Amino acid sequence: MKHSEEGPTSERSIFLESKPIQNVRSHLKNSYSIDLTTNEVVNLYKLCLFTFALHDDVSICSLFDSIHFEALQYDGDMKHYFKTGYGHRINYELMCSLVVNLLEKFDKVIAKKSHKPSIVLRFGHAETLIPLISFLGLFKDELAMISDNYEELVSINRHWRTAMMAPFSGNIVFVMYKEKDEDGDNFYVSAALNGFLLELPELECVFCPYHEFKTHLEGKLNDLEEGKKCQKICY
């Protein structure tokens, strides 16, 4: 199925007019006499989220039932799927320069004779974190996150949930470890998202030998769309 390329939210527009979202509108009107447009329903849901997150107040959220939350969460996750995630390859391929820089930093650590603890910090937003998560191949469902797949993705408890991937203060941490043995130094890398260690897809390891980690990421860099070089995409 070919998705519309008119804009990152075109598939989302279809979902906003679908039965799951329109059922939320009907619920608010029939249960509370609140007659809202679709966009106003989405904004009310956002107000619910921020009121709960900032003030621990669930009064607005109480207007919705669990089935309504599922539909509204799907809408928000679909937005990021096409805007910053797997919906368009360019979204995550823009992270190539960050990945190249990560490997360069680790290579420099290995090249040094003395390995004192050091740290490199990069700051951004969900719009940086989610594309990097996508570049790494994390939380990817077998089905594309489009309107037609809503019922099936809900039934299988989909992986792509931005509230879990990129919450407030979301972060991803890569750590290099050195192990000494009689044959010399061995280096390993782990990745943790929001404090939880990850098993990177295809690598099937948590503490991965650095040469395997590097080869895996270089393979992704070499597989950029249409064979473009990283710097032509990122600059």
Side-chain angles (χ1 to χ4, degrees):
M1 179 178 181
K2 184 175 177 61
H3 305 147
S4 171
E5 297 296 331
E6 294 177 1
T9 59
S10 56
E11 188 66 36
R12 183 189 174 209
S13 298
I14 298 173
F15 183 67
L16 287 174
E17 297 304 319
S18 68
K19 186 176 180 180
I21 294 296
Q22 295 309 307
N23 283 345
V24 182
R25 288 187 64 197
S26 298
H27 163 75
L28 292 172
K29 184 176 181 179
N30 296 333
S31 299
Y32 303 104
S33 298
I34 303 175
D35 190 6
L36 301 177
T37 66
T38 301
N39 286 337
E40 288 171 339
V41 170
V42 172
N43 288 333
L44 184 64
Y45 170 65
K46 291 179 181 178
L47 184 61
C48 146
L49 298 181
F50 283 106
T51 302
F52 174 64
L54 298 176
H55 305 292
D56 199 26
D57 183 345
V58 297
S59 57
I60 298 175
C61 296
S62 65
L63 296 172
F64 302 105
D65 293 336
S66 59
I67 191 172
H68 306 140
F69 279 121
E70 189 65 59
L72 291 164
Q73 287 171 1
Y74 192 90
D75 167 58
D77 291 340
M78 180 190 291
K79 172 186 174 182
H80 279 287
Y81 182 86
F82 284 99
K83 182 181 178 182
T84 58
Y86 293 113
H88 298 283
R89 288 189 61 166
I90 191 64
N91 294 339
Y92 52 90
E93 290 190 342
L94 285 170
M95 293 295 101
C96 63
S97 58
L98 184 60
V99 174
V100 168
N101 182 257
L102 171 69
L103 296 177
E104 289 175 346
K105 294 295 183 184
F106 280 151
D107 286 342
K108 287 181 180 179
V109 168
I110 293 175
K112 291 181 179 179
K113 294 182 179 180
S114 61
H115 300 108
K116 296 181 180 179
S118 62
I119 185 171
V120 177
L121 302 175
R122 299 278 188 264
F123 296 91
H125 298 275
E127 289 75 16
T128 309
L129 184 58
I130 295 175
L132 180 57
I133 288 170
S134 301
F135 187 96
L136 296 172
L138 298 167
F139 306 106
K140 187 175 185 179
D141 296 291
E142 292 186 7
L143 295 174
M145 197 165 194
I146 59 176
S147 179
D148 289 345
N149 290 338
Y150 172 72
E151 296 293 344
E152 191 166 357
L153 281 170
V154 168
S155 68
I156 63 174
N157 192 22
R158 59 191 171 84
H159 301 300
W160 182 266
R161 292 184 180 272
T162 52
M164 302 297 294
M165 294 154 43
F168 289 145
S169 301
N171 61 87
I172 188 165
V173 178
F174 298 94
V175 180
M176 173 169 276
Y177 307 85
K178 183 178 72 171
E179 175 189 57
K180 285 189 174 182
D181 61 25
E182 57 187 25
D183 296 323
D185 295 336
N186 298 312
F187 294 89
Y188 298 85
V189 173
S190 70
L193 179 66
N194 303 320
F196 293 93
L197 287 169
L198 299 169
E199 182 176 288
L200 295 177
E202 301 177 32
L203 282 176
E204 298 182 351
C205 53
V206 176
F207 297 95
C208 304
Y210 177 63
H211 70 276
E212 293 182 13
F213 175 82
K214 181 179 179 179
T215 300
H216 175 65
L217 292 187
E218 285 180 335
K220 288 183 172 293
L221 291 170
N222 292 332
D223 191 37
L224 296 181
E225 188 174 17
E226 299 176 358
K228 296 186 180 76
K229 293 183 178 179
C230 180
Q231 60 265 28
K232 291 185 179 180
I233 291 179
C234 301
Y235 300 102

